[in-house]
Amino acid sequence: MKSFVYSALPSRVVFGNGTLSQVVQEISTLGCSRALILTTPRQVAQGEKLKELVGDKAIGIYSNATMHTPTNVTDDAVGVVQKLGADIVVAVGGGSTVGLAKAIALRTDLPQIVIPTTYSGSEATAIIGQTENGLKTTQKTLKVLPEVIIYDVSLTMALPPRVTITSGLNAIAHAVEALYSKEASPITDTLAEQGILSIAKALPVIMNDSGNLDARSEALYGAWACGTCLGAVGMGLHHKLCHTLGGTFNMPHAETHTVILPHSMAYNAPYAQEAMEKVANILGVSNAAQGIFDLSKSLGAPSTLKELGMEEEELEKAADIASKNPYPNPAPLEKEKILQLLKNAYAGVRPS
Ligand code: NAD
């Protein structure tokens, strides 16, 4: 076996169906008693329910979590934290809400309990992406790693179909890039393969039966596995492109990952054959990039940047940003080839 380095992250995971009931105990175990609940405008009702459950340990709700973690929203939320004297944040929602919890922790050092309701995987990483003046930058620091993750499958049962599919493919993207990362290890390989398998198996079942408890559990477990890979190793071109499209062009996060993934895989395939073989074997196909494209299509996911609202004239600028600062990636980063990748994704061409 090749030698490797793997840094395990100190995070407590509580996984199951109905685990939300343990939130008060988890707040107490962290020595806290003044929880600010975080959520998005769309999930206020879930936030209210959580506040009721937390009872006198809840001091308020901040419900303006926003995709791509804009710093002005964080400023506002930190103001509320200070005004109310919160000693912990409890986030219920997807990556946007978890991102806000992390951004607050970065500035205040408050502990976080996060309760993910999508498959974004952010909860399992010490990474934070923040957007300021149209540019999304990421940093890695243990300060933002949530102390406790409570995965409650019941909270994902009503996740709308489009979010379910695109969020699941967002998770698969973490695992695919982990398989060809320079920092890959047998541990991340195992997690990545398990994560891809769980999600690829679960999504078609969920599409026909959205309340299928086994499939929802499998998908949520897969999200943790893929997120753990994202937190453990460096990502490549795929994530760089999606961050550029999200931060600079305000494209929706999971949908953008879904559209770009088959094309970034095709770009890297000649330089990442072992990783691609693993993905192809899991999907039972001969070509991994086409397998992901076909899976995505069969689930009814968006397949073009055009339908996500990207303007064709913006592709050049996106290719420019994504090829500017060098970062590790299996295939060399060449602006013209990246532009072609984006054109293919814009039109939704099946990768060849
Ligand atoms: P999201 O959190 O914005 O959720 C999408 C929408 O679905 C929101 O309106 C949300 O309120 C709603 N929603 C979520 N769960 C729901 C449920 N169970 N039922 C009904 N509605 C629900 O989207 P996302 O894709 O989960 O997260 C995207 C954000 O996460 C981006 O900002 C991205 O950069 C970040 N992210 C960060 C990391 C990291 O490691 N730092 C990793 C992945 C994603």
Side-chain angles (χ1 to χ4, degrees):
M1 185 176 283
K2 280 197 289 188
S3 47
F4 66 88
V5 174
Y6 175 76
S7 302
L9 294 177
S11 165
R12 176 175 159 83
V13 175
V14 178
F15 188 101
N17 190 24
T19 46
L20 189 64
S21 60
Q22 295 175 41
V23 67
V24 180
Q25 182 57 50
E26 294 296 332
I27 293 172
S28 301
T29 305
L30 288 169
C32 299
S33 59
R34 297 183 62 77
L36 179 66
I37 314 286
L38 307 176
T39 185
T40 61
R42 193 163 149 189
Q43 287 179 277
V44 173
Q46 238 163 0
E48 296 283 359
K49 270 195 196 155
L50 178 59
K51 184 167 179 274
E52 219 177 286
L53 183 67
V54 173
D56 59 8
K57 285 187 169 37
I59 54 159
I61 300 185
Y62 182 85
S63 60
N64 195 28
T66 304
M67 196 172 277
H68 305 307
T69 328
T71 50
N72 61 320
V73 172
T74 307
D75 293 340
D76 189 39
V78 168
V80 175
V81 163
Q82 287 163 347
K83 190 171 141 216
L84 297 180
D87 63 4
I88 186 167
V89 286
V90 180
V92 60
S96 299
T97 311
V98 174
L100 177 61
K102 288 174 158 182
I104 294 172
L106 182 65
R107 298 201 196 171
T108 62
D109 256 339
L110 285 189
Q112 314 160 59
I113 295 178
V114 297
I115 306 161
T117 61
T118 69
Y119 307 129
S120 84
S122 175
E123 64 279 1
T125 81
I127 303 166
I128 175 156
Q130 302 184 90
T131 307
E132 190 162 24
N133 300 326
L135 202 65
K136 188 166 181 177
T137 51
T138 56
Q139 56 175 300
K140 209 171 185 174
T141 161
L142 280 177
K143 263 177 111 170
V144 305
L145 182 74
E147 278 71 7
V148 178
I149 311 171
I150 299 180
Y151 286 109
D152 185 340
V153 182
S154 72
L155 300 180
T156 65
M157 295 302 226
L159 189 62
R162 185 176 168 106
V163 192
T164 298
I165 300 162
T166 55
S167 192
L169 284 153
N170 179 195
I172 289 179
H174 307 328
V176 167
E177 289 229 294
L179 284 173
Y180 55 60
S181 171
K182 269 190 162 169
E183 291 135 23
S185 68
I187 300 157
T188 55
D189 281 357
T190 305
L191 281 170
E193 290 180 71
Q194 182 63 60
I196 296 170
L197 179 64
S198 293
I199 291 179
K201 222 171 72 181
L203 289 184
V205 179
I206 295 171
M207 276 314 92
N208 289 321
D209 176 12
S210 69
N212 187 302
L213 184 63
D214 286 343
R216 285 285 185 189
S217 303
E218 188 88 34
L220 197 56
Y221 170 72
W224 170 78
C226 294
T228 302
C229 291
L230 172 68
V233 301
M235 298 283 115
L237 174 65
H238 173 79
H239 279 73
K240 177 70 181 177
L241 275 176
C242 293
H243 279 189
T244 302
L245 296 172
T248 306
F249 303 96
N250 203 26
M251 299 288 283
H253 181 82
E255 283 97 330
T256 303
H257 272 272
T258 300
V259 170
I260 295 288
L261 184 60
H263 305 286
S264 55
M265 287 174 72
Y267 185 102
N268 277 326
Y271 298 84
Q273 285 175 5
E274 208 181 310
M276 294 304 156
E277 262 168 41
K278 284 179 181 164
V279 179
N281 285 340
I282 294 167
L283 299 178
V285 296
S286 57
N287 179 305
Q290 288 177 350
I292 290 290
F293 183 88
D294 295 343
L295 172 68
S296 179
K297 272 263 182 190
S298 72
L299 294 167
S303 61
T304 69
L305 287 179
K306 190 175 179 195
E307 70 191 285
L308 300 186
M310 187 92 188
E311 300 291 338
E312 200 167 6
E313 309 81 68
E314 295 172 331
L315 299 180
E316 176 99 31
K317 185 176 171 196
D320 207 34
I321 299 174
S323 55
K324 229 171 205 161
N325 301 320
Y327 47 89
N329 187 64
L333 300 167
E334 295 172 36
K335 189 187 157 191
E336 280 316 306
K337 286 192 178 165
I338 293 175
L339 182 58
Q340 188 54 53
L341 180 169
L342 288 170
K343 284 181 177 168
N344 292 343
Y346 181 82
V349 177
R350 186 174 188 253
S352 55

